[in-house]
Structures are given as structure tokens and as C-alpha cells.
């Protein structure tokens, strides 16, 4: 049989079980909550990691977790491993916070907290669950289109840029197991974070397409990467910003 007549392989599903399981950090609000509810609506079993349950549906399993604290995160990972004896199909790291300040006014403690939640939190959760993640599984890290550098957001941008670099390294390392690792990088998204006084010095700018990104749109893009349709996408950073990154 030559190449012209060789049938295309079917998309690889992330698991053989009837119900796939996803661990979603930051599942109590904002983008993390939207992703958790989108997955629940698609029939996934969702384990949400967050400091409070917030708006997370009772249909999900809530695991208390403060990603800024190593002990709390390690304990949450242990609970997830015990609760998912059959394996985890996907990990979505959506937890985040933002402090804004210009050079000269930067507070090291704020930068350290963002690094702890965004970068170290991703490391602790993914590394801790790697043995439970099924072959053909998915990892999605929620980054930001500001990762290229935006005035007043240098510390935040640095942590989000680190996620993109980390995802490419992990994608290469995990490719033999058919585990994909990608970053979804939203622009200005309509969440409560926009009203956080910690970022008041850099107010959001409405993108050229005329409105803010909806959390449900970020969730839909994330689920594309988690479904069989995303089986051949790995090591990529996909920006969803309404044109905010255009010249």
C-alpha cells in the first residue's frame, strides 16, 4: 500500500473510559470556572483546585488548594491521585492573579507570589500528577497575550512568558507518551480580575474587534485542545485576544 492509499489514523482520544477526568486549577472563578463548567457540560469529571469553592458547580469535585503554598498544593495533588485511581486525562492550569506596577515601583513580594501561583504551581501540579496522567493525555496552561511585554505588567508578563517556555520543553519531553502540552493566552477577558485594585494602574483596553474576550470563548478553545481534535497540537501558544496583539 503506497502513501496515497494509506488511510489516515483516527484522532486519538485522551482516554478509553466513558467519563474523562480533568484537573482544573483556579476553578472557583473567572476563566478557570468557565473551563470547569464547559467540561462538566461536555460530560467530563472535573476536579477543581482552588482556595474556595466559589461558583464551582456541585457536579464537580472541589479540592481545597492554595497554589501559593507548597504544602497545600502537595496535599491537594495527593487527594487528586487518590480520587482518580483510573488516571487523569487532562490538567488545566488556570489559576492566576495580577499585580501591576511600573519599573521603580515593583514590589518583590508581588512578583514572588505571581511566580509561585503561575509557574511553581504549574510545576507542582503537573509533576505531581504526571504518573496519573494517561498516555495521550493533555496539559493546557493558561497564559496571557501580555507575555511579550506590556508597560506596567513586567512581573506578570515574565511569569506568563515562563509558562510558554515551560510548555514547549514539556511538550518535547512528553511526546513519546502522546501527551500534548499547550498554552492558551487570552487578551483582555471579561472577568472579575479586571476590577481588581491590584491592577488599577494599567486599565484594560478594549481590543480592535470591539469587545472583551468572554471566558466561555477561552473555555471553548481549551476544550478543542483537550478533545480528540487537538491530538496533533503540542508545544504551541495560542493567543485569543480580539486583535489586541495586532500592530
Amino acid at each position: 500500500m503506497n502513501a496515497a492509499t494509506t488511510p489516515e489514523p483516527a484522532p486519538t482520544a485522551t482516554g478509553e473510559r466513558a467519563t474523562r477526568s480533568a484537573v482544573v486549577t483556579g476553578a472557583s472563578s473567572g476563566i478557570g470556572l468557565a473551563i470547569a463548567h464547559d467540561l462538566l457540560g461536555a460530560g467530563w469529571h472535573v476536579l477543581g483546585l482552588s482556595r474556595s469553592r466559589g461558583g464551582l458547580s456541585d457536579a464537580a469535585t472541589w479540592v481545597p488548594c492554595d497554589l501559593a503554598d507548597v504544602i497545600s498544593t502537595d496535599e491537594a495533588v495527593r487527594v487528586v491521585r487518590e480520587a482518580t485511581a483510573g488516571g487523569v486525562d487532562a490538567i488545566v492550569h488556570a489559576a492566576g492573579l495580577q499585580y501591576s506596577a511600573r519599573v521603580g515601583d515593583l514590589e518583590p513580594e508581588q512578583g514572588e507570589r505571581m511566580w509561585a501561583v503561575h509557574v511553581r504551581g504549574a510545576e507542582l501540579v503537573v509533576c505531581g500528577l504526571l504518573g496519573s496522567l494517561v498516555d495521550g493525555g493533555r496539559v493546557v496552561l493558561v497564559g496571557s497575550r501580555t507575555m511579550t511585554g506590556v508597560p506596567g505588567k513586567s512581573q506578570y508578563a515574565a511569569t506568563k512568558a515562563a509558562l510558554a517556555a515551560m510548555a514547549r520543553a514539556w511538550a518535547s519531553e512528553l511526546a513519546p507518551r502522546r501527551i500534548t502540552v499547550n498554552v492558551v493566552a487570552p487578551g483582555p477577558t471579561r472577568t472579575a480580575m479586571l476590577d481588581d485594585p491590584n491592577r488599577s494602574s494599567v486599565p484594560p483596553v478594549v481590543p480592535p474587534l470591539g469587545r472583551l474576550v468572554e471566558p466561555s470563548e477561552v473555555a471553548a478553545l481549551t476544550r478543542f485542545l483537550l478533545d480528540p481534535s487537538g491530538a496533533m497540537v503540542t508545544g504551541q501558544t495560542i493567543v485569543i485576544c480580539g486583535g489586541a496583539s495586532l500592530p
Side-chain angles (χ1 to χ4, degrees), residues 111-123:
E112 290 169 3
R113 183 169 180 82
M114 285 188 287
W115 184 272
V117 173
H118 298 161
V119 184
R120 190 184 69 194
E123 294 174 355

Side-chain angles (χ1 to χ4, degrees), residues 43-59:
W44 288 66
H45 173 214
V46 172
L47 299 99
L49 274 60
S50 53
R51 288 182 296 172
S52 67
R53 187 172 197 113
L56 185 62
S57 167
D58 290 341

Side-chain angles (χ1 to χ4, degrees), residues 11-22 44 86-90 132-138 177-179 226-228 231:
T12 303
T14 57
E16 299 299 326
R17 297 180 301 285
T19 300
R20 291 174 291 172
S21 62
W44 288 66
V88 172
D89 296 281
S132 300
L133 191 61
V134 301
D135 290 351
R138 306 278 194 269
R177 291 181 55 191
R178 304 188 324 280
I179 294 172
L226 302 187
D227 280 344

Side-chain angles (χ1 to χ4, degrees), residues 25-181:
T25 70
S28 63
S29 63
I31 289 173
L33 177 63
I35 291 171
H37 284 176
D38 181 83
L39 293 175
L40 286 169
W44 288 66
H45 173 214
V46 172
L47 299 99
L49 274 60
S50 53
R51 288 182 296 172
S52 67
R53 187 172 197 113
L56 185 62
S57 167
D58 290 341
T61 299
W62 175 54
V63 181
C65 177
D66 181 357
L67 283 166
D69 182 84
V70 173
I71 295 175
S72 174
T73 305
D74 284 345
E75 174 62 16
V77 166
R78 183 191 65 78
V79 171
V80 169
R81 283 199 301 261
E82 293 180 355
T84 55
V88 172
D89 296 281
I91 300 170
V92 181
H93 180 51
L97 70 157
Q98 183 176 151
Y99 295 101
S100 300
R102 291 183 174 270
V103 62
D105 296 322
L106 299 175
E107 297 288 344
E109 296 80 8
Q110 294 177 348
E112 290 169 3
R113 183 169 180 82
M114 285 188 287
W115 184 272
V117 173
H118 298 161
V119 184
R120 190 184 69 194
E123 294 174 355
L124 292 173
V125 173
V126 174
C127 292
L129 294 177
L130 194 58
S132 300
L133 191 61
V134 301
D135 290 351
R138 306 278 194 269
V139 176
V140 173
L141 310 177
V142 176
S144 171
R145 83 100 188 165
T146 63
M147 63 189 176
T148 57
V150 171
K153 297 184 181 181
S154 60
Q155 291 173 319
Y156 178 78
T159 65
K160 294 299 188 176
L163 290 181
M166 199 158 60
R168 286 186 62 82
W170 289 353
S172 180
E173 294 168 10
L174 297 175
R177 291 181 55 191
R178 304 188 324 280
I179 294 172
T180 67
V181 187

